[in-house]
Every structure is written in C-alpha cells, then in structure tokens.
Amino acid sequence: MRGEYKVLGGKLVAVDLEVENGRLADVSVSGDFFLEPEEALFDVNAALTGLSVDASVEQLTSAIEAAVGRDTAFIGFSPEAVGIAVRRALGKATGWDDHTFDVIGPRVMDPAMHVALDEIIGREVAAGTRPPTLRIWDWDSPLVVMGSFQSYVNEIDPEGAAKHGINVVRRVSGGGAMFMEPGNCITYSLVVPQSLVEGLSFERSYSFLDDWIIEALGEVGVKAHFVPLNDIASEKGKIGGAAQKRFAAGSVLHHVTMAYDIDADKMTEVLRIGREKMSDKGTRSANKRVDPMRSQTGMTRDAIIESFLQTFRRRYATQEADYSEAELTEAKRLVDEKFSTREWTHRVP
C-alpha cells in the first residue's frame, strides 16, 4: 500500500506499508524532504511499525514525535504530514486526485436558495449520493447572509436594511456577514468528503482548500496570498474570506466570498460591524466602493468566474453538472421552513 501527501508550500511525503493482523508492517517513509539527522528516518519507520490500522493522524504524529530526538529537524514536512500519508495509504484519507468533482456554473436564483443548497449538497456528499462539488453562486436580489454564530442585533441595522429593501438570512457555517447585491461579489461553495482534510487542523484545512483559488487569482493578475485563519488578501489589501461547516455525517462545506464591486456606503448602512470596520480604515467619503476584483483585474465579473473555473478544471478531474429538480424542491422547502423563519434568523439574538 502506498500513500502520498504534498505539504502545502513544502515537500512530498510518501509512505509504503503492509498490514498484518490489523497492524502496520514494513513501513517505509520517503520523499524529497530534508531530515536531520538522517538516521532519524529509521526511527520514524520503527515508530509506525506495529501501530493499529485505526490509529488517527494525531496518534501517528505522537508516536513519531516520541521516537525521535528533540534535536531532529523535519524540513519541508512534519510528523503530521507522515501521519496523513499513512492514512492515505490505508484508504482512510484521500487526496484531490482520488476524486472527480461536479462543477456547477453560475445559476441565477433567490440567494436564500444557495444558502439552503449548501446544507443539501453537504448532506449528499456525506452520503455519497453526489460527488465532491464546486458550485458558483449567482443571485437576483440583495441579501445579507449572516454567519451561523453572529448576533443579529449586533450585526444588522434594521432601519438600513428596510431602507434598501435587503433581507437577512443566517447560513449554516460560521464566519462574518456577506453583503450580497446582484453582481457585487463572487461567491462559490466547495463541498468535499471529510477524508480530503483528514488529519488537518481547521486552520490548515482553510489554506489547503483555498490553494487552487490562490492560483486562479494569479491567472487573472492578482497576486494573492492566504491570511490565517480565513482571509484571502493581495498586496493592496483583503479580497475576501472563507467560512466552513463540518457536517457530522462526514463532509466539509467550504465557501469563499470575494468583493467584486461593493457599494460601501450602502453596506455600512445595513451592517453595524461593516460600519465599524470601514470607520477604522478612515472610509467616510460618499459613494465609496470596495472593488478589489474589478479594479485589480480590469475584467468583468463573468470573465473572472470563467477563468476561475478553468483553473479548477485544469488542476482536478471534473465533470459538468447541474442541480436536480429534487435538490431545488428540497432547497425551496428549507428556505420556507428554516432559513426564512424568525426562529432561525434570530437564533443568536
């Protein structure tokens, strides 16, 4: 059995092993990494040999750390990376190349439907009835999408929302509010099985799942980088942010929103927190816009989205897909019975 794991910004780790009576045997770790002293590689192999095939990444990591000396230097990789490679060899963790992704391009609909579809597709990927899925949001009306744990009264100015006719919906993932008007930002959801982020901390899973979009931004002329925990920024400042939800059934929802051309004045009338953030930046002028994607690329929103999809298709195995009628019907039911209700929207007062 063989498993590989490429450390983000680092080196490739490979593990070859056998299984005997439910235990790891003949373990051999290799790769293009650096390890000092070099003899520590034998200690790593020995530490893994005999461990249960059910050992978690954390347990594998602890065994390696206990076996090597304090002066051992893992350069370009880590004991955790070895643990992930072991889990992949056993088929308990997966890599990008183990999956074919459904790709659903922009489809204009009520933005609350996209919030509901996140939950539905999360369930389906966990159940194995839909493959891992990348889908682009598009919408026909304004909406504020609050993070799962945000306080409604602290976040939303009801007078500003009423003035501009902007509704509020709470999503299933954490993070901050998304101020969404038609054409003002670029949002996508990526739903993957838990196995793809096996062994990764929450922070590392953000950068791991965002790696492709960093390349995609470079393709449209934006030199971007990841800023822990969940921001994407360029040399000219923040572009967007990510949010996640890990479903207990076994999937991960990871979505990203990037500002294309936002009316900051309107946003600060609707979002209290947005008002404070813009004030901190000294943004008080009328007709101020937040437009990092438009100004830095000079491209239309549609052209940027298509370029992003091309990057994803080039990096990974994909197939074109769409929403089923059953999914859309269930999403409408969830909007009516959950996401549009006061009980859900105000669940954190």
Side-chain angles (χ1 to χ4, degrees), residues 1-5 14-15 17 24 48 52-61 79-95 98 194-195 197-200:
M1 300 177 181
R2 180 180 176 87
E4 297 182 349
Y5 175 64
V15 176
L17 56 83
L24 306 184
L48 296 171
S52 169
V53 294
D54 295 322
S56 66
V57 171
E58 292 77 11
Q59 291 170 322
L60 297 167
T61 299
E80 178 186 68
V82 177
I84 294 171
V86 169
R87 296 282 289 180
R88 288 186 175 181
L90 295 168
K92 298 176 184 289
T94 58
D98 295 315
Q194 182 82 30
S195 62
V197 296
E198 169 78 17
L200 297 178

Side-chain angles (χ1 to χ4, degrees), residues 131-147:
T133 299
L134 171 72
R135 63 187 194 88
I136 307 295
W137 293 31
D138 214 344
W139 52 96
D140 56 7
S141 57
L143 185 73
V144 170
V145 182
M146 293 177 58

Side-chain angles (χ1 to χ4, degrees), residues 116-130 191 247 249-253 330-331 333-334 338-339:
L117 284 164
D118 272 346
E119 180 172 321
I120 292 164
I121 293 177
R123 291 182 202 157
E124 293 175 339
V125 171
T129 57
R130 180 187 268 278
V191 183
F247 293 96
S251 65
V252 178
L253 162 67
E330 175 65 5
R333 185 190 69 79
L334 274 181
K338 177 179 179 178
F339 291 107

Side-chain angles (χ1 to χ4, degrees), residues 57-77:
V57 171
E58 292 77 11
Q59 291 170 322
L60 297 167
T61 299
S62 295
I64 294 170
E65 291 175 340
V68 300
R70 289 186 177 182
D71 295 333
T72 300
F74 292 80
I75 306 165
F77 77 125

Side-chain angles (χ1 to χ4, degrees), residues 5-13 32-33 75-77:
Y5 175 64
K6 173 67 169 62
V7 178
L8 191 63
K11 299 297 184 178
L12 178 70
V13 179
D32 60 352
F33 51 76
I75 306 165
F77 77 125

Side-chain angles (χ1 to χ4, degrees), residues 99-342:
H99 302 284
T100 297
F101 291 80
D102 273 1
V103 173
I104 304 176
R107 179 159 172 182
V108 177
M109 63 179 80
D110 181 335
M113 288 282 286
H114 286 293
V115 176
L117 284 164
D118 272 346
E119 180 172 321
I120 292 164
I121 293 177
R123 291 182 202 157
E124 293 175 339
V125 171
T129 57
R130 180 187 268 278
T133 299
L134 171 72
R135 63 187 194 88
I136 307 295
W137 293 31
D138 214 344
W139 52 96
D140 56 7
S141 57
L143 185 73
V144 170
V145 182
M146 293 177 58
S148 182
F149 309 108
Q150 289 185 296
S151 164
Y152 188 98
V153 297
N154 289 341
E155 189 72 24
I156 305 299
D157 184 323
E159 293 182 1
K163 172 184 175 182
H164 296 291
I166 297 178
N167 196 12
V168 180
V169 170
R170 186 183 298 276
R171 63 179 184 267
V172 295
S173 61
M178 301 153 60
F179 180 76
M180 307 178 70
E181 292 187 291
N184 77 339
C185 55
I186 297 172
T187 298
Y188 66 82
S189 293
L190 176 63
V191 183
V192 301
Q194 182 82 30
S195 62
L196 187 62
V197 296
E198 169 78 17
L200 297 178
S201 65
F202 277 97
E203 181 173 328
R204 291 192 184 186
S205 71
Y206 274 91
S207 58
F208 177 73
L209 295 175
D210 279 339
D211 187 50
W212 77 273
I213 198 64
I214 300 299
E215 178 181 338
L217 285 163
E219 294 290 333
V220 297
V222 179
K223 187 176 181 181
H225 59 279
F226 181 76
V227 181
L229 172 67
N230 63 333
D231 285 345
I232 298 171
S234 72
E235 296 171 323
K236 296 182 180 180
K238 180 177 175 178
I239 294 172
Q244 277 190 14
K245 165 71 176 179
R246 297 199 177 195
F247 293 96
S251 65
V252 178
L253 162 67
H254 179 92
H255 56 194
V256 170
T257 292
M258 291 171 281
Y260 178 74
D261 189 5
I262 293 176
D263 184 333
D265 289 335
K266 187 182 295 186
M267 180 177 70
T268 56
E269 288 184 31
V270 176
L271 298 182
R272 299 185 192 277
I273 303 302
R275 184 180 309 157
E276 293 176 8
K277 287 182 178 179
M278 298 305 290
S279 176
D280 288 344
K281 296 177 181 178
T283 303
R284 294 189 173 90
S285 61
N287 301 317
K288 178 67 179 179
R289 305 198 73 84
V290 179
D291 64 348
M293 294 299 297
R294 184 178 63 84
S295 62
Q296 291 188 47
T297 67
M299 297 170 63
T300 66
R301 178 174 174 271
D302 288 346
I304 293 172
I305 290 171
E306 181 54 35
S307 181
F308 285 175
L309 290 175
Q310 289 176 7
T311 300
F312 192 86
R313 294 182 186 113
R314 184 175 66 249
R315 286 181 59 137
Y316 310 122
T318 64
Q319 58 191 13
E320 300 307 302
D322 202 350
Y323 306 108
S324 69
E325 287 303 315
E327 288 171 334
L328 294 174
T329 299
E330 175 65 5
K332 181 63 168 62
R333 185 190 69 79
L334 274 181
V335 170
D336 292 340
E337 298 180 6
K338 177 179 179 178
F339 291 107
S340 65
T341 65
R342 182 177 178 83

